[in-house]
Amino acid sequence: MSRNLGAATISGVFDGCKSADRAAFVAYLMAGDPLPSTTAALIRAAIDGGADIVELGFPYSDPLADGPSIQAAATRALRAGTTFDSVLQIARSLPVPVPLVAFSYFNPLYVRGLERCARDLHQAGFAGAVIPDLPPEEGAEAVAVFASAGLALSFLVAPTTPAKRLSLIARVSTGFIYVVSRMGVTGSVTVIDRGTKALAQRLREQTDKALAVGFGISTPQQARMVATFADGVIVGSALVDLIASSPPDQALPAVRSYCARLSAACRRGADNA
Amino acid sequence: MSRNLGAATISGVFDGCKSADRAAFVAYLMAGDPLPSTTAALIRAAIDGGADIVELGFPYSDPLADGPSIQAAATRALRAGTTFDSVLQIARSLPVPVPLVAFSYFNPLYVRGLERCARDLHQAGFAGAVIPDLPPEEGAEAVAVFASAGLALSFLVAPTTPAKRLSLIARVSTGFIYVVSRMGVTGSVTVIDRGTKALAQRLREQTDKALAVGFGISTPQQARMVATFADGVIVGSALVDLIASSPPDQALPAVRSYCARLSAACRRGADNA
Amino acid sequence: MSDADEHGYFGQFGGRFVPEVLVQPLQELEAAMHAAFADESFWSRYGQLLRDYVGRPSPLFVADRLSSSAGGATIVLKREDCNHTGAHKINNTIGQGLLALRMRKTRMIAETGAGQHGVATATTGALLGIPVEVYIGAEDARRQSLNVYLMKLLGATVRVVESGSRTLKDATSEAFRDWAASAGSTFYCIGSVVGAHPYPSLVKRFARVIGDEARAQCQERLGRLPDHVVACVGGGSNAIGIFAAFLGDSQTKLWGVEAAGRGLDSPAENAASLLRGTIGVLHGARTMVLQDGGGQVSATRSIAAGLDYPAVGPEHAHLQASGRVTYVGVDDRQALDAFSELARQEGIVPALESAHAIAHACDLARARPRDEVILVSCSGRGDKDAARFALGEPH
Amino acid sequence: MSDADEHGYFGQFGGRFVPEVLVQPLQELEAAMHAAFADESFWSRYGQLLRDYVGRPSPLFVADRLSSSAGGATIVLKREDCNHTGAHKINNTIGQGLLALRMRKTRMIAETGAGQHGVATATTGALLGIPVEVYIGAEDARRQSLNVYLMKLLGATVRVVESGSRTLKDATSEAFRDWAASAGSTFYCIGSVVGAHPYPSLVKRFARVIGDEARAQCQERLGRLPDHVVACVGGGSNAIGIFAAFLGDSQTKLWGVEAAGRGLDSPAENAASLLRGTIGVLHGARTMVLQDGGGQVSATRSIAAGLDYPAVGPEHAHLQASGRVTYVGVDDRQALDAFSELARQEGIVPALESAHAIAHACDLARARPRDEVILVSCSGRGDKDAARFALGEPH
Ligand SMILES: Cc1ncc(COP(=O)(O)O)c(C=O)c1O
Ligand SMILES: Cc1ncc(COP(=O)(O)O)c(C=O)c1O
């Protein structure tokens, strides 16, 4: 594990946040949405706003785990001609290295070949990956391949995940564990499921790895609440919607200021009650 | 039989024609077509043209034995408000008595009551009736009722009528026997069926009653041919079509001259070969 | 039992009131019918096709949810809707088709209203290799465009009738006219227990498989006979077919359901020949006819094209007169409600014709205890009607 | 035999590639499936509904006229078109519906393409009293308006999917998304032998009544097994259902027919996943997928909406790899020809899906002697397609 540079990078970010008494803020962006050429600047805006980690979505034709916002973003990105290679190109084009996590469905990885993918992601500067439709039972090969390429591979846990599988997932995940905050697909909700905290606590009994909570978080209030019990707060659909609804020339400042508010909400100090 | 005045009247006409070496010309008209008020004049025109007998059709909603010409005429007559009573009225309104034969489907007679019908027809001046959908097997009551009202009742024979039924029909018919010249329904044809002559001859072996041939005859040539072996020539659809296609003010002369040509064709002398 | 006498009469109803040209063809048909009925090989071929082609026996289904929702007696459906082509009509057309082959006829004609009999005849013609022509009123052709398409697809020639009211009665007249001219080579495959003798007896014989099966199934599955048997009545073939097996069971009450259209008391807006007709003669038989005082046949109306006919098979007129069967009316609205109700409660979309019977069965069930059994002839499926409504026809 | 291993693999195909939220629901389903399969009372209720409601056994019909017209071997049809709702799909939905009841689920969801599975699920929901929601692509909803109407009539809620290619694949994704959020109360009734383990095994178990019956019928009626078995392959359920009984009969050749659309060599204009796809993962299973080099799933096209799917059940991928089944393509034109040919020769209007199998059977028959027997799965009736064409859709 110590040889996994990507996992170390990601753990380092979570450790740093912990020391600062805050949760890490993970911003999800769809690569290529609206255009491959706009993504790098949006990533920078998120980082400027305070994102600790950027999860970069690889657009896919059949995103089973995503709600309408991210589905639509993927459709826009694919229509704009975004490919696996163009996402790699975006990552490589970032001026300074930022902690990047690839978010891709399994099929594009499988078809490209897992070894080749791991190598390419690593070379493009990714620290790790999330594959939302790959449960650990099907993930043995991916675990091995990504580890030996020096990439973290985070699996997901869900409210329904039974205890036995919680420990399996805790064991095989590297970098962080993705805690799905509710049954269903990505997309903003008004209330974060009350069970999420209990789920994180159950998981905490099994592992010291970082726990990042996602699916449905869109407001600073929600982020603040989640930050009280999780190591990381992941925001995706809300950010994707914000980009889609902003006039082109206002997307960057909008992303920056939205991320700043979310990042601030991740602080746990008394000033943030 | 001698007490059946209607049958005697009709036989008288056929006898008279026979003496004159001609076939009787029977003209069929649809009562009430196009209007109840025009029918009397059309009957007079047919008689003026030389019709020896007029068959007057009672319009019926479902004329199973009729082709499109007479169906359409019935529809026009019914739309114009023609009823059983108005046909009786037309018959009564004729200034001089002419040999009239009622042509009606069974249902209107049945619903009105056979006894009442026979009485009414007789009083209106009809000499007899043809009921195209009443075979003799179902006709026992009608035979008795019409006979006692002094009305002839003519049954039909068809090319398919087996020998046994030919003699039955010959026996029960009064006035004349209606020889259907072909399989099918009323309507003009280009060629009169070759079997018709043989059918008339088979029938002739069974009876001395007058044989009138109908269904399909429309030209003087056809009438001339039929006149060589039959006692009467019945023309219906062609006359109905002529009325339907004539401008209102020309229907009467058209009917008169058409009947004159047909009547002339019924002569059998050497002058008519 | 109430079979026709040798002249084709059921009591005072029936007979053979046809133009002379049709007498000999009807006699020929009658003789061929008797010969076929006495021939075991005819029935074995018929039975084989009913099993391997039509899919008989049709199921007997205890409609538990419908019964509960009606709130009373147990409703049991005889599922003629499961037959190939979707209605009971095929039992008849296959029988007549085999008879046509025996008689060496080279062409079949038929009339149709809802199109179900037309489709069944076209189907039978394709199966047996006999060219088919189907007469359909222009008004019905418009309402039943799916069935018109199917008939053509099955290779039949469709003749659209523009005369009269342009519905079933006119199509029937036109078929008789065709037959008058073609009987030597042509078999007229009539679609119900109507017309001149021997048609009501012929069609009945092929329809009674419905009742024979249902009676045996009731005994086997329920261990008893039904207390009530309910069927819709257009010409009356599915009703005669199911009633036939129960006529001798005096404890079993029989119900025929006529189309009350927009109301039994709206003249020319219903098709209830038995309830609102008078004795007359139509299409060769003395029977109950919707007609005016002058014997002109009335216009009719029902949402169910297959019931939209101004007369009824003569045996029904007799069963009404004798009191053995009780006839009632169900109107368009009630039939539509039953159509949706059966769909929602049991997942069975009935033909609108059959929905008339369902509606009455639910009415009967309401007032009666759960251990009474009401057997209903579900004479056909409603895809043809759904197709109309899916196209936006109001209902 | 080729049942799935304990991880849901048929050889290298199958598995369970799903978001974590769906793992537990699939495990729960798998456990319930095994329990139900081991419970005699489950099978007795299932068998009773298949008999009394669906109308099974479906007939086995020797298509003499079609065989003669094809000019060769004897074509025999397994008549799933005679089932209630008109296709083989109901065998599966009733099985899954009973399982949903056992699992005390209070809602069923389904995806549909042609609408046949949606109608079958809506029907089952009505029968068993389970509320149903059906996902259908907007493009398919337009093409299959009759079935959309029927689903609503049957009480189901129809959810029109506007995402992606707006066809079956997107409706399936949407159903999975619904289930991810609702699995506690909701049973996802999938329509073919596709999806994550245990669905391919579950659906197969309910589909195999087709082959079990057909094999017994062949032996009883023909005194022998068929030389060939032919079925169309969309997701592959009717094909697996009929093949299952014959996999062990090594003399019997098995043929799966894919939709070649406008041609096997026109990319995105066919739906031949086995013939033109590559290995991928879609809807939870590793199988053959029509996709581009980057793993994006391709658009597909077939005149038969029920075959218009870019993947195929994993067991078919395995049967192709093992060589036990030969897969071929039939294009739109050939399917349409077979659609009319079967209608005209036998009076049976097949679903366009089934017409693909008929077309290949006729091809096979042509070159072979009369005493060879070709058994074809006639998986459904064509009324839904006739309704489209009757409305004037070009074909
Ligand atoms: C399904 C169905 N039921 C009933 C009828 C009425 O006919 P009958 O009264 O002869 O059974 C029809 C006629 O088309 C029909 O299609
Ligand atoms: C009649 C019919 N046959 C075949 C299919 C294809 O499905 P499968 O390959 O699962 O049998 C469908 C799908 O809707 C169908 O409706």
Side-chain angles (χ1 to χ4, degrees):
Chain A
M1 189 80 78
S2 60
R3 289 203 321 275
N4 188 330
L5 207 69
T9 307
I10 292 171
S11 301
V13 173
F14 281 101
D15 290 346
C17 289
K18 191 174 218 161
S19 316
D21 197 20
R22 61 192 307 275
F25 166 47
V26 183
Y28 173 101
L29 293 168
M30 174 61 74
D33 172 38
L35 296 171
S37 57
T38 59
T39 304
L42 288 166
I43 293 172
R44 277 191 307 260
I47 303 257
D48 289 351
D52 300 294
I53 293 175
V54 171
E55 234 182 64
L56 191 57
F58 284 62
Y60 179 51
S61 54
D62 294 81
L64 211 65
D66 285 300
S69 299
I70 294 184
Q71 279 180 59
T75 303
R76 287 190 297 269
L78 289 172
R79 287 231 182 89
T82 311
T83 62
F84 204 95
D85 286 320
S86 49
V87 185
L88 296 177
Q89 178 55 40
I90 289 165
R92 274 192 299 264
S93 73
L94 295 173
V96 288
V98 296
L100 272 185
V101 173
F103 186 101
S104 173
Y105 283 85
F106 186 59
N107 194 48
L109 305 175
Y110 177 77
V111 168
R112 190 176 179 92
L114 291 182
E115 305 232 4
R116 181 176 163 207
C117 285
R119 204 172 51 232
D120 290 345
L121 289 171
H122 180 70
Q123 287 178 355
F126 284 91
V130 175
I131 308 175
D133 57 345
L134 187 72
E137 288 84 349
E138 302 289 359
E141 190 192 349
V143 166
V145 167
F146 277 63
S148 60
L151 284 171
L153 184 57
S154 302
F155 288 88
L156 298 84
V157 300
T160 46
T161 306
K164 229 178 83 186
R165 298 189 74 252
L166 279 185
S167 65
L168 166 67
I169 292 168
R171 225 167 34 244
V172 296
S173 291
T174 48
F176 69 98
I177 300 168
Y178 196 129
V179 180
V180 171
S181 63
R182 58 178 175 120
M183 298 299 290
V185 293
T186 60
S188 307
V189 292
T190 42
V191 182
I192 298 294
D193 199 292
R194 291 169 162 275
T196 311
K197 184 170 178 179
L199 174 61
Q201 282 166 342
R202 280 196 290 141
L203 201 52
R204 179 58 71 221
E205 288 162 17
Q206 316 254 3
T207 183
D208 290 330
K209 291 176 185 167
L211 309 180
V213 173
F215 279 42
I217 304 174
S218 63
T219 67
Q221 288 83 334
Q222 292 168 336
R224 194 171 299 132
M225 196 270 276
V226 169
T228 61
F229 62 82
D231 304 310
V233 174
I234 308 172
V235 175
S237 299
L239 209 43
V240 162
D241 284 342
L242 178 69
I243 295 168
S245 63
S246 299
D249 59 339
Q250 282 163 43
L252 295 176
V255 166
R256 192 179 316 114
S257 79
Y258 182 59
C259 285
R261 288 166 57 218
L262 288 165
S263 168
C266 287
R267 287 201 301 269
R268 295 206 191 90
D271 59 329
N272 197 22
Chain B
M1 190 77 78
S2 60
R3 289 205 318 277
N4 187 329
L5 208 67
T9 307
I10 292 170
S11 302
V13 173
F14 281 101
D15 289 347
C17 289
K18 189 173 219 164
S19 315
D21 198 19
R22 60 193 306 278
F25 166 46
V26 183
Y28 173 100
L29 295 168
M30 175 61 75
D33 172 39
L35 296 170
S37 56
T38 58
T39 304
L42 288 167
I43 294 172
R44 277 192 305 260
I47 303 255
D48 287 352
D52 299 297
I53 292 175
V54 170
E55 234 183 64
L56 191 57
F58 284 62
Y60 179 53
S61 54
D62 294 81
L64 211 66
D66 285 301
S69 299
I70 294 182
Q71 279 180 59
T75 303
R76 288 191 296 267
L78 289 172
R79 288 233 180 88
T82 312
T83 62
F84 204 96
D85 286 320
S86 50
V87 185
L88 296 176
Q89 177 56 37
I90 289 165
R92 274 193 299 265
S93 74
L94 294 172
V96 288
V98 296
L100 272 185
V101 173
F103 185 100
S104 173
Y105 284 85
F106 186 59
N107 194 48
L109 305 174
Y110 178 77
V111 167
R112 189 177 180 92
L114 291 182
E115 304 233 2
R116 181 175 163 207
C117 284
R119 202 171 52 232
D120 290 345
L121 289 171
H122 180 71
Q123 285 177 357
F126 284 91
V130 174
I131 308 175
D133 57 347
L134 187 72
E137 288 84 349
E138 302 288 359
E141 189 193 348
V143 165
V145 167
F146 277 64
S148 59
L151 285 171
L153 183 57
S154 300
F155 287 89
L156 298 86
V157 299
T160 46
T161 307
K164 228 178 87 188
R165 297 189 75 254
L166 278 186
S167 65
L168 166 68
I169 293 168
R171 224 167 33 246
V172 296
S173 292
T174 47
F176 68 97
I177 299 167
Y178 196 128
V179 180
V180 172
S181 62
R182 59 178 175 117
M183 297 300 289
V185 292
T186 60
S188 305
V189 293
T190 41
V191 181
I192 297 294
D193 199 290
R194 290 171 162 274
T196 312
K197 183 169 179 180
L199 174 61
Q201 282 164 345
R202 280 197 290 142
L203 200 54
R204 178 58 71 225
E205 287 161 17
Q206 316 252 5
T207 184
D208 290 331
K209 291 176 185 168
L211 308 180
V213 172
F215 276 43
I217 303 173
S218 63
T219 65
Q221 288 83 336
Q222 291 168 336
R224 196 170 298 131
M225 196 269 275
V226 170
T228 60
F229 62 83
D231 303 311
V233 173
I234 308 173
V235 175
S237 298
L239 209 42
V240 162
D241 284 342
L242 179 68
I243 295 167
S245 64
S246 299
D249 60 338
Q250 282 162 42
L252 295 176
V255 166
R256 193 180 314 115
S257 81
Y258 182 57
C259 285
R261 288 166 59 220
L262 288 165
S263 168
C266 287
R267 287 201 303 266
R268 297 206 191 89
D271 59 331
N272 196 19
Chain C
M1 284 299 302
S2 72
D3 276 325
D5 69 19
E6 57 175 323
H7 303 295
Y9 277 89
F10 304 87
Q12 64 166 311
F13 300 99
R16 185 179 284 163
F17 296 83
V18 292
E20 178 61 25
V21 275
L22 289 176
V23 171
Q24 185 275 336
L26 287 165
Q27 289 174 334
E28 180 195 0
L29 176 64
E30 189 181 351
M33 171 183 97
H34 288 305
F37 285 2
D39 180 350
E40 261 182 41
S41 72
F42 179 83
W43 291 116
S44 103
R45 178 93 180 104
Y46 178 67
Q48 192 194 342
L49 286 175
L50 288 196
R51 184 191 63 183
D52 298 345
Y53 186 71
V54 176
R56 301 204 74 91
S58 68
L60 187 82
F61 176 69
V62 179
D64 283 323
R65 280 170 39 83
L66 182 72
S67 305
S68 302
S69 128
T74 299
I75 298 171
V76 177
L77 305 179
K78 178 59 175 166
R79 300 283 309 278
E80 295 299 302
D81 60 298
C82 287
N83 293 342
H84 180 54
T85 71
H88 68 292
K89 300 282 180 189
I90 189 102
N91 304 318
N92 170 39
T93 56
I94 288 192
Q96 292 197 50
L98 289 176
L99 194 52
L101 284 185
R102 265 181 88 97
M103 293 175 75
R104 301 183 190 287
K105 302 291 178 185
T106 55
R107 176 175 173 263
M108 272 204 304
I109 57 172
E111 84 294 340
T112 198
Q116 292 302 101
H117 174 60
V119 168
T121 308
T123 296
T124 302
L127 171 69
L128 302 178
I130 312 173
V132 166
E133 290 179 36
V134 179
Y135 289 91
I136 183 169
E139 183 59 22
D140 290 333
R142 190 186 58 72
R143 293 193 282 189
Q144 309 285 338
S145 58
L146 172 56
N147 277 342
V148 170
Y149 176 85
L150 284 172
M151 288 185 264
K152 291 180 183 166
L153 181 65
L154 291 159
T157 303
V158 177
R159 303 234 175 263
V160 176
V161 176
E162 300 282 356
S163 59
S165 60
R166 316 198 308 163
T167 62
L168 178 54
K169 125 183 127 60
D170 311 285
T172 308
S173 297
E174 212 50 46
F176 269 113
R177 290 183 187 113
D178 179 317
W179 202 39
S182 65
S185 62
T186 297
F187 190 99
Y188 177 18
C189 178
I190 209 166
S192 191
V193 287
V194 300
H197 180 60
Y199 277 114
S201 302
L202 177 64
V203 175
K204 174 187 185 177
R205 185 63 192 80
F206 296 127
R208 67 169 290 161
V209 66
I210 307 172
D212 288 342
E213 278 181 11
R215 191 170 187 280
Q217 287 168 321
C218 281
Q219 276 174 320
E220 187 197 320
R221 308 272 164 84
L222 313 175
R224 53 168 298 191
L225 294 181
D227 301 292
H228 305 269
V229 179
V230 184
C232 69
V233 178
S237 64
N238 89 88
I240 284 291
I242 198 164
F243 292 165
F246 297 97
L247 285 172
D249 300 319
S250 56
Q251 342 76 291
T252 301
K253 230 176 133 22
L254 308 178
W255 302 86
V257 185
E258 293 199 287
R262 298 213 170 113
L264 280 182
D265 296 320
S266 312
E269 295 276 3
N270 64 57
S273 333
L274 290 163
L275 297 171
R276 287 297 180 269
T278 50
I279 303 181
V281 167
L282 185 65
H283 295 143
R286 181 186 293 145
T287 185
M288 298 299 284
V289 179
L290 286 164
Q291 53 188 339
D292 67 16
Q296 305 293 344
V297 179
S298 305
T300 55
R301 219 202 63 82
S302 164
I303 191 152
L307 304 181
D308 211 352
Y309 181 67
V312 62
E315 186 169 1
H316 284 289
H318 175 61
L319 291 168
Q320 180 183 44
S322 75
R324 179 65 187 94
V325 179
T326 307
Y327 294 87
V328 297
V330 157
D331 68 21
D332 288 355
R333 191 73 259 157
Q334 294 167 305
L336 279 168
D337 287 348
F339 175 75
S340 320
E341 179 70 3
L342 186 61
R344 278 169 187 263
Q345 295 297 341
E346 301 289 357
I348 298 171
V349 178
L352 282 175
E353 290 78 8
S354 323
H356 285 74
I358 308 288
H360 183 63
C362 290
D363 263 4
L364 281 179
R366 229 177 307 283
R368 291 183 164 78
R370 192 167 179 77
D371 64 358
E372 274 197 33
V373 172
I374 303 174
L375 171 67
V376 189
S377 169
C378 186
S379 56
R381 61 175 188 240
D383 298 46
K384 66 185 178 59
D385 303 301
R388 281 164 63 191
F389 298 144
L391 294 188
E393 182 162 325
H395 57 290
Chain D
M1 281 299 303
S2 70
D3 276 325
D5 68 21
E6 56 175 322
H7 304 293
Y9 276 89
F10 305 87
Q12 64 165 313
F13 301 99
R16 185 180 284 165
F17 297 82
V18 293
E20 178 61 27
V21 274
L22 289 175
V23 171
Q24 186 274 337
L26 287 164
Q27 289 173 335
E28 180 195 1
L29 175 65
E30 189 181 350
M33 171 183 98
H34 287 306
F37 285 2
D39 180 352
E40 261 183 40
S41 73
F42 178 84
W43 290 116
S44 104
R45 178 92 178 105
Y46 179 67
Q48 193 193 341
L49 286 175
L50 287 196
R51 183 191 64 184
D52 298 345
Y53 186 71
V54 176
R56 300 203 75 90
S58 69
L60 186 83
F61 176 69
V62 179
D64 283 324
R65 278 170 40 84
L66 182 71
S67 306
S68 302
S69 125
T74 299
I75 299 171
V76 177
L77 305 178
K78 178 59 176 166
R79 299 284 308 280
E80 295 299 301
D81 61 298
C82 286
N83 293 344
H84 179 53
T85 72
H88 68 293
K89 301 281 180 188
I90 188 103
N91 304 316
N92 171 39
T93 57
I94 288 193
Q96 292 197 52
L98 290 176
L99 195 53
L101 284 185
R102 264 180 89 95
M103 294 175 74
R104 301 185 190 285
K105 302 292 179 186
T106 56
R107 175 173 173 265
M108 272 204 303
I109 57 171
E111 83 296 339
T112 198
Q116 291 302 103
H117 174 60
V119 168
T121 309
T123 295
T124 302
L127 171 68
L128 302 178
I130 312 173
V132 166
E133 290 179 37
V134 180
Y135 289 91
I136 183 168
E139 183 58 25
D140 290 334
R142 191 186 57 72
R143 292 193 284 187
Q144 309 286 337
S145 58
L146 172 57
N147 277 341
V148 170
Y149 176 86
L150 284 171
M151 289 184 262
K152 292 181 181 164
L153 180 65
L154 291 158
T157 303
V158 177
R159 304 235 174 261
V160 176
V161 177
E162 300 282 355
S163 60
S165 61
R166 315 196 311 163
T167 62
L168 177 55
K169 128 182 125 60
D170 311 285
T172 307
S173 297
E174 213 48 47
F176 270 112
R177 292 185 185 111
D178 179 316
W179 202 40
S182 64
S185 63
T186 296
F187 189 98
Y188 177 19
C189 179
I190 209 166
S192 192
V193 286
V194 299
H197 181 58
Y199 278 114
S201 301
L202 177 64
V203 175
K204 175 187 184 177
R205 184 61 193 82
F206 297 128
R208 65 169 292 160
V209 65
I210 307 170
D212 288 343
E213 277 180 13
R215 191 170 186 280
Q217 286 168 323
C218 280
Q219 276 175 321
E220 187 198 321
R221 308 273 163 83
L222 313 175
R224 52 167 298 189
L225 294 180
D227 301 291
H228 306 269
V229 179
V230 185
C232 68
V233 178
S237 65
N238 89 89
I240 284 291
I242 197 163
F243 292 164
F246 298 96
L247 284 173
D249 300 318
S250 56
Q251 341 77 289
T252 300
K253 231 177 137 11
L254 307 178
W255 302 86
V257 185
E258 294 200 286
R262 297 212 171 115
L264 280 182
D265 297 321
S266 312
E269 296 275 4
N270 63 57
S273 334
L274 291 164
L275 298 171
R276 288 296 178 271
T278 50
I279 303 181
V281 168
L282 185 65
H283 294 142
R286 181 185 294 144
T287 184
M288 298 298 284
V289 178
L290 287 165
Q291 54 187 340
D292 66 17
Q296 306 292 344
V297 180
S298 306
T300 54
R301 218 202 64 81
S302 165
I303 191 154
L307 303 181
D308 210 352
Y309 181 67
V312 62
E315 186 168 1
H316 285 288
H318 176 59
L319 291 168
Q320 181 184 42
S322 75
R324 178 64 187 95
V325 179
T326 307
Y327 294 87
V328 297
V330 156
D331 68 20
D332 288 355
R333 189 73 260 156
Q334 294 167 305
L336 279 167
D337 287 348
F339 175 76
S340 320
E341 179 71 4
L342 186 60
R344 279 170 187 261
Q345 295 296 341
E346 301 289 358
I348 298 171
V349 179
L352 282 176
E353 290 80 6
S354 323
H356 285 74
I358 308 288
H360 183 62
C362 290
D363 263 3
L364 281 179
R366 228 177 310 284
R368 289 181 166 78
R370 193 169 179 75
D371 63 0
E372 274 196 34
V373 172
I374 303 173
L375 170 66
V376 190
S377 169
C378 186
S379 56
R381 61 168 126 96
D383 298 47
K384 66 187 178 59
D385 303 300
R388 280 164 65 191
F389 298 145
L391 295 188
E393 182 163 325
H395 58 287

